[in-house]
Amino acid sequence: MGEVNLTLKDGSTISIEQGKTVYDAAYSIGAGLAKAALAGSIDGNMVDLNHKISEDANITIITDRSDEALDILRHSTAHLMAQAVKELYPDAKLAIGPTIENGFYYDFDIRKPFSPEDFDKIEKKMKQLMKEDIPLVREDISSDEAIRLFKELGEPYKVELITDLGEDTVSIYRQGGFVDLCRGPHISSTGRLKVFKLISNAGAYWRGDEKNKMLQRIYGTAFFKKKELGDYLYKLEEAKKRYHRKLGRELDLFSISDEAGAGLVIYHPKGAMLRHLIEDFEKKEHLKRGYDLVVGPQLLKVDMWKQSGHFDNYRENMYFTEIDEQLYGIKPMNCLAHMLIYKSKIRSYRDLPKRYFELGTVHRHERTGVLHGLMRVRGFTQDDAHILCTPEQLLDEINGVIDFVGYVMDIFGFEYEMELSTRPEKSIGSDEDWERATAALKQALDDTGKNYDINEADGAFYGPKIDIKLKDCLDRKWQCATIQCDFTLPDRFDLTYVASDGEKHRPVMLHRVILGSIERFIGVLTEHYAGAFPTWLAPVQAIVLTVSEKYDSYANQVYNMLLDAGIRVEIDTRNEKLGYKIREAQMMKMPYMLVIGEKEQTGGGVSPRKRNGEHLNLMSVDETIEIIMHDIKNRR
RNA sequence: GCCGGCGUAGCUCAGCUGGUAGAGCAACUGAUUCGUAAUCAGUAGGUCAGCGGUUCAACUCCGCUCGUCGGCUCCA
C-alpha cells in the first residue's frame, strides 16, 4: 500500500497510508480534531468519517463548527427518528426524510396518523437508540441489489425512488436493523445525536402530488447544544408575538369575522388608515413614473371571461352572480377592463408604452385549507398595472418595474428575494415569444447585480415571470411583487398598435404588481415592524396625555394645534393616572406621547415621550410638531 | 380540497376520569385629581363555535358542519 497526499484547507499537506479513512486523516492532524469530526469533504464531495481515501485529494474535516455540520446532524437525526418510528410502528413505510431550513422531516405511509401524543413515545425511543450508540454504516450496492433489498423489507417507496434514480449503484445506510436509501454523509453513530425535538406533524402527498397518497410527515429539529435548541424554541415563541393577526386585534387594525365569511377582511378605523396611507403613497409613486390611474368594474359579463380564457382556466376560483338572466363574473383579476381601455382607441407606436394602474379589488375562491390571516384571503386589493409596449420597449419596462420594486422595498426596509420562473410544460405561445420574454426578464435581473434563483418550468401558462418574495415572522416566504409577461391577452383581445411602417402590430403586455396584495403586504409589514409602524405610517402618530383633569383645557388646545398641523393625533383625558395612560399608548405602539401637566401648562409647551422610552425635555408645541413632521417627511 | 391540532366572557386562560361554569385583564359605576408601562372598590358579562347523537345527566364522550393554527397541494 502506498501513501496518498492530502491537501488541507490552509494549503498544507499531510500524507497517510492509502485506504485509511477520513477519521484517520483527522486523527493524524490532531486527536482533538478527530474527536470533533463529524464528516469530511474530499475534493468538494461530502463523505463519511469512515470513507476510505484512495488517492491524492483536497480534504476538509467537517466539525460542528462547519456550515454543513448542522445539515449532517439533522439528516442523521431524521434517520434516527425513522428508525424509532419503524421500531414502534413496524407497518410504517418509509418515504423520504430530508433536511430543511430549520430542521428536518420524514414522511411515512402509516395507517393511523400520528398525533402529538405519539411524539413522546417516538422521542423516548430515539433517546434509547441514541444511548445504544448504534453505528451508521454506509454500503454501496448495485441498484438491482438495492431494489431486491427494499422489496424484501417491504418498502415500496424506496423501490420507486431507486428505480427513478436510474443509477447503476446506490448507497444505503444501516444502523442496527434499520436500512435507508441515502446519499449521505452521516455522523458515525447515533450516540452523537443528543439534542433534538419533534416539532409538528402534517399530511403531505407522496412526491408533492395531490393525486398521490397522503403520507404522514413529522417535522423535527436538532442542534449540537441544548442551549441552541432552547434559543431556537424561544425565537419561535417571540416570533408568535409579532404574528399579524394577534397584532391586528391588539392594535385594533382589522378583523376577519366568521359571520362575514372566511378570508374576508374587515378594516377597523386604524387599519383602514394604514391602508389609506399605503394606497396614497402608491398612487403618488405610480403617477411619478408615468402610470395612468384607471378603475374597472367589480363584475363583468361572463362572455368577457370566456374571451380572456379565465372561464376555461380559472372558473374554479371565480364567484359568479346572475342578474336579469345574465351571468356575471366577479373579477379575480383586473386585466379585462384595462384591455378595454386600450382597445377604446387606435393606438400608435408613439403612444406606447401605456401603463394602466389600478388599486383593484379582486375576489378569488381559495380552497379553505389555504386561507391564512391577511396573507391568503378571498377578497383583496392589488396594486395592479398592465403595461402595453412594443417588443423593443420590453426590457426598459421590466427594468423600470424592478427599479420601482427596489425603491419601494427600500422605503419599508425590506430584504427580498427574486426568482425567475421559466416556461412550464403546459403553456401557450411561440418559442420565440418565450425566448425573447425570458431573455428580457433575465437580462433585467442580471442588470440589478443582485442574486436571484431560477425556478425552471414554474412560469405562468401565458408567460415567464419574476417573483419577489418577502418573509413573515416565521421566515415563511410570501410572494408580493411579480412581473409577468403575457402572450395571450393581447392576442385574445386583438390589441394592436400602428407602427412606423403603417402596419398593425401586436403589443407586448406586462402584468405587474409592486406590493402584490395590499392585504398580504399589510400582514407582512405588520410583522416586519412588530406593529410599531414608523411615524409616517402610524395610524395614530401622537397622543396627548394629561396628568389630571385640571389640564384638560390646555391639553385640548395642544391637541387642536397638532390636528391643524395635519398630524394624526388623539387625546386621552380619562380620569386615570399618567402611568396608566402611558402604558396603554405604549401598548398601542404610538410613536409620540405628549405629556401635559402643571409644568407644561405654565411653561406653555409639552413633554414628549417617544415609543422607545426616550423622554424629551419640555419644549414648545411648534417644536414638537416640527419633530413629528420631520419623521413624516423622511418616512421614519 | 387533504392530514393533524385547537375552538370556554371582548382578551389570556382554569374547569380531574360526564353531575348543567370560574380567574385575571378589559368594559360599566363610584371614589381618588394623581407626573412617564397597570389607584381602589363595586357591577355586569357565557345556549362552553353550531347542529345532531349516546346518557337519568354532556363544556366534558361520539358524529357532522363552521372557524382557526401547523403543514401538503394551489397561489397575490
Side-chain angles (χ1 to χ4, degrees):
Chain A
M1 281 284 215
E3 298 256 305
V4 292
N5 293 314
L6 300 174
T7 309
L8 306 179
K9 239 189 339 202
D10 63 4
S12 62
T13 60
I14 56 166
S15 60
I16 60 166
E17 210 176 297
Q18 193 178 23
K20 288 280 187 186
T21 66
V22 173
Y23 178 84
D24 297 326
Y27 196 84
S28 76
I29 299 168
L33 182 64
K35 193 161 174 250
L38 290 166
S41 162
I42 300 285
D43 291 334
N45 298 317
M46 306 257 275
V47 296
D48 295 319
L49 278 184
N50 55 18
H51 173 83
K52 292 191 175 64
I53 302 167
S54 54
E55 55 194 324
D56 292 358
N58 290 304
I59 186 169
T60 308
I61 304 299
I62 294 169
T63 67
D64 63 11
R65 272 181 289 183
S66 316
D67 290 342
E68 307 89 342
L70 207 49
D71 245 23
I72 295 171
L73 180 84
R74 287 170 173 171
H75 199 173
S76 298
T77 309
H79 276 221
L80 178 65
M81 180 176 82
Q83 184 183 14
V85 167
K86 284 292 281 187
E87 294 203 1
L88 290 167
Y89 314 92
D91 288 347
K93 309 279 178 233
L94 300 171
I96 54 165
T99 58
I100 49 174
E101 194 168 341
N102 288 309
F104 62 87
Y105 67 80
Y106 212 112
D107 286 346
F108 304 93
D109 183 359
I110 185 167
R111 194 176 305 263
K112 186 178 160 294
F114 298 109
S115 71
E117 292 88 74
D118 295 321
F119 284 19
D120 283 346
K121 266 165 64 184
I122 298 169
E123 278 185 355
K124 210 173 266 172
K125 190 60 151 179
M126 287 169 74
K127 291 217 168 87
Q128 184 198 323
L129 294 168
M130 177 262 280
K131 285 199 185 102
E132 288 175 27
D133 201 13
I134 306 161
L136 279 77
V137 183
R138 180 191 176 101
E139 270 177 49
D140 291 289
I141 58 176
S142 73
S143 285
D144 290 344
E145 202 178 328
I147 288 170
R148 216 162 38 238
L149 173 69
F150 284 110
K151 267 188 181 156
E152 223 169 84
L153 291 166
E155 299 288 0
Y157 297 97
K158 296 293 175 192
V159 173
E160 188 177 328
L161 288 171
I162 298 164
T163 310
D164 287 3
L165 271 175
E167 303 283 338
D168 293 340
T169 64
V170 295
S171 56
I172 59 168
Y173 279 80
R174 291 179 186 274
Q175 60 197 81
F178 174 80
V179 193
D180 200 355
L181 171 74
C182 190
R183 195 175 296 122
H186 280 285
I187 47 99
S188 53
S189 82
T190 60
R192 303 190 71 165
L193 306 168
K194 294 202 164 61
V195 185
F196 50 80
K197 185 174 169 57
L198 305 188
I199 303 286
S200 63
N201 64 318
Y205 300 107
W206 167 238
R207 301 205 138 173
D209 188 336
E210 69 178 320
K211 288 195 232 29
N212 288 340
K213 185 160 188 187
M214 179 160 272
L215 308 174
Q216 295 303 317
R217 174 173 299 180
I218 300 179
Y219 286 93
T221 192
F223 291 91
F224 287 102
K225 297 200 172 68
K226 224 178 189 131
K227 185 177 177 303
E228 292 166 339
L229 174 64
D231 289 349
Y232 172 70
L233 296 174
Y234 178 74
K235 216 182 92 186
L236 283 185
E237 285 306 309
E238 286 299 299
K240 280 186 193 148
K241 293 184 189 160
R242 300 213 314 267
Y243 181 51
H244 72 277
R245 273 201 87 166
K246 183 175 158 67
L247 285 168
R249 188 175 52 236
E250 289 170 358
L251 305 179
D252 200 14
L253 298 174
F254 67 89
S255 59
I256 298 173
S257 144
D258 303 6
E259 295 162 86
L264 301 171
V265 182
I266 297 164
Y267 288 90
H268 296 23
K270 292 195 171 86
M273 176 53 77
L274 176 62
R275 179 179 159 144
H276 161 75
L277 294 165
I278 292 168
E279 290 185 345
D280 189 51
F281 163 74
E282 281 239 276
K283 282 183 188 168
K284 286 179 183 144
E285 293 298 330
H286 277 82
L287 289 173
K288 271 200 233 167
R289 289 170 174 77
Y291 286 81
D292 296 317
L293 262 55
V294 299
V295 178
Q298 212 52 47
L299 32 77
L300 295 87
K301 282 185 186 169
V302 76
D303 288 353
M304 275 214 75
W305 298 110
K306 284 180 179 161
Q307 190 181 351
S308 69
H310 286 87
F311 193 78
D312 288 335
N313 294 307
Y314 206 72
R315 196 181 347 169
E316 306 303 308
N317 290 296
M318 287 178 67
Y319 293 99
F320 292 95
T321 181
E322 198 181 306
I323 301 155
D324 294 342
E325 290 172 37
Q326 176 66 244
L327 192 59
Y328 286 80
I330 296 166
K331 68 173 176 178
M333 297 182 194
N334 298 301
C335 26
L336 294 205
H338 300 190
M339 299 296 100
L340 294 181
I341 295 166
Y342 184 90
K343 266 180 84 86
S344 65
K345 271 187 193 170
I346 292 179
R347 306 288 176 181
S348 153
Y349 70 101
R350 297 175 200 275
D351 302 329
L352 301 184
K354 278 286 171 203
R355 307 186 187 100
Y356 299 128
F357 172 66
E358 174 173 8
L359 282 159
T361 302
V362 298
H363 288 84
R364 299 182 185 173
H365 178 77
E366 299 289 349
R367 300 207 274 184
T368 53
V370 307
L371 298 176
H372 184 100
L374 287 185
M375 306 300 196
R376 191 76 182 270
V377 292
R378 286 183 173 152
F380 57 101
T381 299
Q382 293 179 303
D383 59 336
D384 205 357
H386 294 90
I387 299 173
L388 292 140
C389 63
T390 67
E392 296 73 40
Q393 291 168 329
L394 186 61
L395 182 57
D396 276 352
E397 288 306 309
I398 296 169
N399 274 325
V401 176
I402 291 182
D403 280 354
F404 196 174
V405 171
Y407 174 82
V408 170
M409 292 308 150
D410 209 40
I411 284 176
F412 291 107
F414 275 117
E415 305 272 328
Y416 56 93
E417 294 178 16
M418 300 194 287
E419 293 170 4
L420 174 65
S421 296
T422 59
R423 184 169 197 169
E425 271 183 42
K426 202 186 133 196
S427 58
I428 53 170
S430 69
D431 288 349
E432 299 85 72
D433 280 345
W434 275 90
E435 243 160 67
R436 196 185 59 229
T438 309
L441 290 173
K442 192 168 184 315
Q443 181 66 50
L445 282 171
D446 288 337
D447 288 350
T448 65
K450 290 182 182 151
N451 288 334
Y452 61 90
D453 290 326
I454 293 186
N455 279 343
E456 293 293 348
D458 206 33
F461 72 93
Y462 49 78
K465 59 174 183 167
I466 293 172
D467 289 331
I468 285 145
K469 298 187 172 178
L470 303 180
K471 284 182 177 176
D472 72 6
C473 64
L474 290 175
D475 276 349
R476 292 176 294 205
K477 287 184 224 168
W478 295 96
Q479 182 181 317
C480 290
T482 180
I483 308 168
Q484 310 183 341
C485 294
D486 189 337
F487 307 131
T488 58
L489 284 188
D491 228 40
R492 282 176 178 263
F493 285 92
D494 193 27
L495 304 188
T496 58
Y497 65 92
V498 179
S500 54
D501 60 4
E503 298 293 316
K504 282 186 175 175
H505 293 264
R506 191 72 78 211
V508 180
M509 186 167 114
L510 224 46
H511 165 110
R512 46 106 286 180
V513 289
I514 304 293
L515 305 181
S517 119
I518 305 294
E519 280 71 11
R520 176 177 290 180
F521 188 74
I522 287 178
V524 178
L525 194 68
T526 302
E527 296 185 3
H528 175 63
Y529 290 129
F533 297 105
T535 307
W536 76 282
L537 281 174
V540 179
Q541 296 168 314
I543 184 161
V544 177
L545 305 176
T546 52
V547 172
S548 90
E549 283 170 17
K550 284 189 283 189
Y551 316 107
D552 282 5
S553 155
Y554 173 65
N556 269 300
Q557 279 178 43
V558 172
Y559 167 74
N560 281 312
M561 285 171 79
L562 273 97
L563 212 54
D564 283 348
I567 290 166
R568 297 186 291 278
V569 60
E570 285 185 352
I571 182 165
D572 185 352
T573 55
R574 288 177 306 170
N575 179 13
E576 294 289 352
K577 286 185 154 182
L578 180 62
Y580 183 88
K581 295 180 182 182
I582 297 253
R583 178 168 193 270
E584 213 157 86
Q586 189 76 43
M587 289 198 304
M588 292 304 281
K589 305 185 192 268
M590 298 195 183
Y592 287 93
M593 287 155 252
L594 309 179
V595 174
I596 289 182
E598 188 61 38
K599 206 169 58 184
E600 289 72 21
Q601 182 166 277
T602 43
V606 299
S607 296
R609 175 195 209 273
K610 291 171 79 167
R611 184 163 53 189
N612 61 12
E614 185 186 348
H615 295 17
L616 303 181
N617 291 326
L618 175 63
M619 62 174 73
S620 74
V621 179
D622 286 343
E623 216 176 324
T624 307
I625 290 173
E626 210 172 293
I627 288 175
I628 297 173
M629 289 311 235
H630 184 263
D631 274 2
I632 296 169
K633 205 172 146 200
N634 292 295
R635 296 210 179 97
R636 286 177 185 280

